[in-house]
Amino acid sequence: MIQYIKNEFYKIRHEKFMVYITMLSLVPFMMNGINFYINDDNLSLKNGLYFRLYNQYLMLLPIITSVIAASLFYMEYTNRTLLAWLSYDKNKFKLFNSKVLAFLLISLQLMLVNLFIIIIFYAFNNAGLLTLGRISLSFISLNIFIIVSVGAFTLFIINMTKNIIISFTAGIVFTIISMILIAAPFSYLLPATLGYRIGHLLLDSSFYYDKPLIHTLTGFLITVITTLSLYFLAYKKFKIHE
Amino acid sequence: MIDIQKLSVSYKKQQTLKDLTYNFKAGQIYGLLGPNGSGKTTLFKAILNLVPYSGSVTTLKKSTIGHLIEYPGFYANLTCQENLSLHASYINLFDLDFSHMFNKFNLSEEKEKKFKNLSLGMKQRLGLIRAMMNNPDIILLDEPTNGLDPIGIKDMREIITREIKSAERTAVISSHMLHELTAFADTLILIKDGVLIGHLFNSRDPYGLVSVNFIEKTDTEFKKQFQHPVNILKTDIDFKIYGNYEELSAFYSNCERHSLESLYVTVMNLNIQGMKLL
């Protein structure tokens, strides 16, 4: 399995989408970093630099996630390598999972790079350990929920349609829906907005659901069920057609 | 080497292979002949366990399979060398020196080129290197000359003859062109609409026998249709056409005069007619 995952990284070594995606993930920090020095030096977690960053990542992360997940599978379809690749192991699930794990590793890598830059920036501007901890937990919460839920959704879309444009569009639609419903009292029903609200709770404890425990647990359950369902449906659609 | 029993494959309620039974022996080269959509590629996919099927496909334990099916699929942005290294790692071959293989398949100058910059002929040859890399016991080639220009076809024929025909392995090469396969194959297997409808033994002895099975038509009608002095024997269940290469070739030419424009189409037509007779 480790060799299979290594091979996934080998396949994308010359792929430009990885460079673009890495640069795109850094755009929010670059924009807000510039804004910090020329316009607004408010570092408050509630309404300062990190709060703006946090909201912008909610917009960008579903797109970035869908591009990574879709591209890893699409390369097998567009290069017509699927047949040769699937013949390497009788255990198709193992090959499928090697790609899924590669996607998770790339996404987590991007998350850690961005988090590291934010932490360094805040530490450089005299933030305390508590602040750094709250930033880390909220950022990780937002990322994990979006990576897992949007990732599973994209895996299903790309393996069902074999179409990269539809998969990217699905990522954008996901973003728009998340942004519209971000403040809705029922937003716990959507994994991405639940992740946002959990992360946001660490920035501003006055803004959360009416019934915190029930709504959070319900949201968790829905997230787990939908993610696992989409993951298995994606695997079912992942096959060679006659 | 490959024992196939009652193999059936269905896709969207349509059977693409129907109760196919055949035993591919070791050391033989088989030509799989049939029109487009007859089930040749599906048979390869079933042997590789890439499509769900009923029946059984049995190969010898630990036998290795190399294949080039449908299209030489490689990663467009990796070089030839990188693509082969990647393939090698999947089959647990590490630190291989591919130089001699690039030389053998006339690709030495292209090894650092990205796959997307190769011609189709070069891509096919790279696909053959991949199929042959671990010196497999079984090799499956699906229309390896498809889409190539005449020079590419000639190159590919030479490589296949040199690298596969000489080796002691089971090879199955598909084509819808009979003359392509007679150059390589010991046995021709005829397939149409997913049904194995007969086989033709190619002894390579100029005086050896070649037989094609046709069923349910009177010998008189058949002779009238083709008007050729090959030996046609009617048995209880079929016709057998006997002849050496020259006779069979003349037979095909005669078929051409009786029906379509090119030898290729005529030969296919002959086969299709033969199949229809079934």
Side-chain angles (χ1 to χ4, degrees):
Chain A
M1 182 58 125
I2 290 171
Q3 184 60 47
Y4 288 175
I5 295 169
K6 277 186 190 171
N7 286 350
E8 292 306 319
F9 281 89
Y10 192 88
K11 287 175 194 174
I12 56 170
R13 62 194 301 188
H14 303 305
E15 294 292 339
K16 286 182 183 144
F17 82 86
M18 279 309 300
V19 179
Y20 295 144
I21 279 300
T22 308
M23 285 168 60
L24 185 64
S25 78
L26 295 171
V27 165
F29 179 79
M30 287 192 291
M31 282 169 54
N32 285 284
I34 293 166
N35 185 51
F36 175 82
Y37 286 109
I38 62 172
N39 187 30
D40 181 1
D41 61 356
N42 180 4
L43 281 172
S44 159
L45 298 189
K46 202 172 172 181
N47 55 16
L49 183 138
Y50 181 71
F51 178 70
R52 287 193 296 273
L53 264 180
Y54 189 72
N55 285 294
Q56 286 162 15
Y57 277 117
L58 174 71
M59 285 191 281
L60 264 187
L61 274 175
I63 296 167
I64 289 172
T65 304
S66 63
V67 169
I68 297 169
S71 299
L72 283 175
F73 278 89
Y74 186 67
M75 74 164 69
E76 306 296 346
Y77 296 121
T78 190
N79 291 319
R80 296 164 78 174
T81 45
L82 186 67
L83 192 145
W85 181 55
L86 286 180
S87 70
Y88 291 134
D89 200 315
K90 284 179 182 169
N91 189 345
K92 200 176 82 168
F93 198 50
K94 200 169 155 186
L95 287 165
F96 178 79
N97 282 331
S98 70
K99 253 192 206 301
V100 175
L101 286 171
F103 149 70
L104 288 175
L105 286 172
I106 294 167
S107 301
L108 292 177
Q109 196 176 312
L110 279 181
M111 178 190 84
L112 290 176
V113 167
N114 277 282
L115 179 60
F116 179 75
I117 293 169
I118 297 167
I119 291 290
I120 292 292
F121 183 84
Y122 265 83
F124 199 70
N125 285 284
N126 304 317
L129 276 179
L130 186 65
T131 302
L132 298 182
R134 287 165 67 195
I135 288 173
S136 301
L137 287 176
S138 68
F139 195 72
I140 288 169
S141 165
L142 179 70
N143 271 265
I144 296 293
F145 272 89
I146 288 179
I147 289 168
V148 168
S149 59
V150 179
F153 179 62
T154 309
L155 292 182
F156 172 65
I157 296 288
I158 186 67
N159 285 299
M160 184 180 69
T161 64
K162 326 277 187 241
N163 187 312
I164 196 87
I165 304 295
I166 294 175
S167 305
F168 291 171
T169 308
I172 293 166
V173 169
F174 203 99
T175 302
I176 293 167
I177 292 172
S178 302
M179 286 170 62
I180 292 170
L181 298 178
I182 199 172
F186 55 85
S187 65
Y188 59 88
L189 298 173
L190 290 174
T193 44
L194 173 70
Y196 174 89
R197 294 288 286 268
I198 290 173
H200 188 262
L201 183 64
L202 294 155
L203 312 180
D204 181 0
S205 57
S206 64
F207 183 65
Y208 200 58
Y209 300 116
D210 297 340
K211 298 171 183 170
L213 189 63
I214 292 172
H215 288 163
T216 306
L217 287 177
T218 308
F220 260 119
L221 198 65
I222 289 169
T223 301
V224 170
I225 291 169
T226 52
T227 301
L228 285 177
S229 304
L230 287 168
Y231 166 74
F232 285 113
L233 280 172
Y235 176 66
K236 208 179 164 204
K237 293 286 173 191
F238 170 65
K239 61 185 174 189
I240 292 171
H241 289 283
E242 287 296 292
Chain B
M1 187 65 90
I2 314 172
D3 186 37
I4 294 173
Q5 295 293 328
K6 289 187 172 298
L7 176 68
S8 294
V9 176
S10 298
Y11 178 67
K12 288 186 178 171
K13 293 179 183 174
Q14 196 178 355
Q15 266 199 310
T16 46
L17 284 181
K18 297 165 193 165
D19 270 342
L20 198 144
T21 295
Y22 200 81
N23 185 23
F24 294 91
K25 293 184 173 64
Q28 293 277 306
I29 298 178
Y30 294 87
L32 189 60
L33 181 72
N36 289 331
S38 58
K40 304 186 295 290
T41 305
T42 305
L43 174 61
F44 286 149
K45 288 177 183 173
I47 292 172
L48 289 166
N49 201 24
L50 293 173
V51 287
Y53 60 81
S54 62
S56 70
V57 177
T58 317
T59 55
L60 286 180
K61 268 188 182 175
K62 292 183 181 173
S63 56
T64 50
I65 304 179
H67 62 83
L68 174 55
I69 295 176
E70 285 182 343
Y71 174 84
F74 286 93
Y75 300 96
N77 288 321
L78 296 183
T79 66
C80 296
Q81 178 102 23
E82 287 169 336
N83 266 301
L84 291 183
S85 298
L86 186 65
H87 168 72
S89 73
Y90 274 113
I91 55 173
N92 296 320
L93 294 173
F94 297 95
D95 303 321
L96 271 186
D97 178 17
F98 300 113
S99 306
H100 71 287
M101 301 194 88
F102 281 120
N103 285 337
K104 218 190 257 186
F105 289 81
N106 308 327
L107 277 175
S108 300
E109 288 175 19
E110 281 76 29
K111 66 180 176 184
E112 294 303 331
K113 276 189 187 170
K114 286 187 174 176
F115 180 72
K116 64 183 177 187
N117 297 327
L118 300 184
S119 69
L120 183 59
M122 292 168 183
K123 288 176 179 176
Q124 290 280 40
R125 276 183 270 150
L126 192 68
L128 268 185
I129 296 182
R130 179 173 63 187
M132 301 288 293
M133 187 186 287
N134 57 339
N135 197 21
D137 305 307
I138 298 165
I139 186 152
L140 310 174
L141 302 180
D142 186 18
E143 312 224 6
T145 57
N146 207 10
L148 299 182
D149 59 24
I151 296 170
I153 290 174
K154 182 173 166 285
D155 285 352
M156 187 57 79
R157 275 185 197 156
E158 281 173 7
I159 288 170
I160 290 174
T161 309
R162 194 175 66 226
E163 299 301 328
I164 294 176
K165 207 169 178 175
S166 60
E168 286 296 316
R169 64 167 60 89
T170 302
V172 188
I173 304 171
S174 79
S175 179
H176 52 270
M177 294 186 267
L178 180 65
H179 64 277
E180 279 294 322
L181 294 174
T182 48
F184 317 124
D186 302 307
T187 301
L188 290 176
I189 300 165
L190 308 176
I191 186 169
K192 189 189 176 233
D193 294 336
V195 179
L196 198 151
I197 53 124
H199 53 234
L200 183 154
F201 298 106
N202 189 349
S203 69
R204 293 212 183 87
D205 175 348
Y207 300 102
L209 297 177
V210 176
S211 74
V212 185
N213 295 340
F214 295 98
I215 300 175
E216 287 179 13
K217 196 161 187 179
T218 68
D219 50 351
T220 320
E221 277 178 39
F222 194 82
K223 279 176 181 169
K224 259 189 206 169
Q225 190 174 354
F226 295 105
Q227 289 292 313
H228 194 269
V230 288
N231 298 311
I232 302 176
L233 277 186
K234 185 174 184 316
T235 68
D236 287 343
I237 55 159
D238 65 6
F239 288 97
K240 288 191 188 300
I241 303 162
Y242 293 99
N244 60 30
Y245 277 144
E246 287 169 3
E247 287 169 333
L248 202 66
S249 173
F251 174 71
Y252 291 143
S253 302
N254 203 22
C255 293
E256 187 186 5
R257 283 201 295 279
H258 279 81
S259 48
L260 300 173
E261 292 165 4
S262 70
L263 179 61
Y264 147 64
V265 178
T266 307
V267 168
M268 280 310 300
N269 189 43
L270 163 69
N271 286 316
I272 290 166
Q273 282 185 7
M275 294 169 191
K276 278 179 183 166
L277 295 176
L278 283 168

